[in-house]
Amino acid sequence: MNVEQIEKLVEIIEKSSLTEFSYKDDEVKITMSKLDHAPVIAGGVPMTAAPMVGAAVSTAVSVEEAAEEAEDEAVLITSPIVGTFYAAPAPDAAPFVKVGDHVKNGQTVCILEAMKLMNEIQSEFDCEIEAVLVSNEQKVEYGQPLFRVKKL
């Protein structure tokens, strides 16, 4: 990924309502966050290519280092569609998951309503819920982080 591609990506993220974005392939890892303060240095790489205030861009030195880093970092469960987030199957019911819960692959973590259709969102791996990043009945965008989890 070259600097022009990164700048274009930063522009897209800056114009969206996303507050955090991550991208990773075999050679490159990019994490961007919108913050209320000055630019941050992440992974020892200064913020020279990203005009978005508070964005953090880092490039992994090697595949092995990137793999070790990914194991230590939290993973996000993101919204696959635009819709309304529901933490529970009914207003008076307990939420599907809460912080600290261990979730199995295929277990429902929330419902997203889109065009009057209720879509059950399921975990794609075994994990532990570290944080719920949206509130009940909040409108969410495609790709917006819903949960921060730790793979088990």
Side-chain angles (χ1 to χ4, degrees):
M1 183 172 269
N2 63 35
V3 174
E4 292 166 359
Q5 291 172 318
I6 293 171
E7 288 175 344
K8 178 93 172 142
L9 183 60
V10 168
E11 285 178 33
I12 293 168
I13 301 303
E14 191 174 47
K15 290 176 184 176
S16 77
S17 65
L18 290 175
T19 56
E20 186 172 297
F21 173 82
S22 293
Y23 169 81
K24 180 181 169 191
D25 65 19
D26 291 340
E27 298 175 9
V28 176
K29 177 183 176 195
I30 297 174
T31 301
M32 291 185 262
S33 298
K34 290 182 185 178
L35 305 174
D36 295 333
H37 49 77
V40 196
I41 296 176
V45 177
M47 291 279 310
T48 54
M52 183 170 69
V53 174
V57 178
S58 64
T59 304
V61 176
S62 69
V63 174
E64 294 81 17
E65 187 176 306
E68 289 175 9
E69 198 173 298
E71 288 177 7
D72 294 339
E73 289 184 13
V75 177
L76 299 174
I77 296 176
T78 58
S79 176
I81 58 174
V82 173
T84 304
F85 174 87
Y86 292 104
D92 58 344
F96 288 105
V97 295
K98 56 188 178 301
V99 175
D101 284 356
H102 287 160
V103 177
K104 298 281 186 199
N105 181 10
Q107 182 177 338
T108 300
V109 293
C110 67
I111 292 176
L112 292 178
E113 177 187 5
M115 299 182 356
K116 304 290 182 192
L117 293 174
M118 300 299 182
N119 301 281
E120 289 188 358
I121 306 305
Q122 299 173 341
S123 176
E124 297 177 1
F125 42 80
D126 292 351
C127 60
E128 178 182 347
I129 304 294
E130 290 186 332
V132 180
L133 304 174
V134 292
S135 57
N136 197 42
E137 298 182 9
Q138 179 178 334
K139 305 285 187 236
V140 296
E141 292 187 17
Y142 170 79
Q144 181 175 345
L146 304 175
F147 301 93
R148 186 177 67 233
V149 299
K150 181 174 158 185
K151 282 190 177 182
L152 297 178

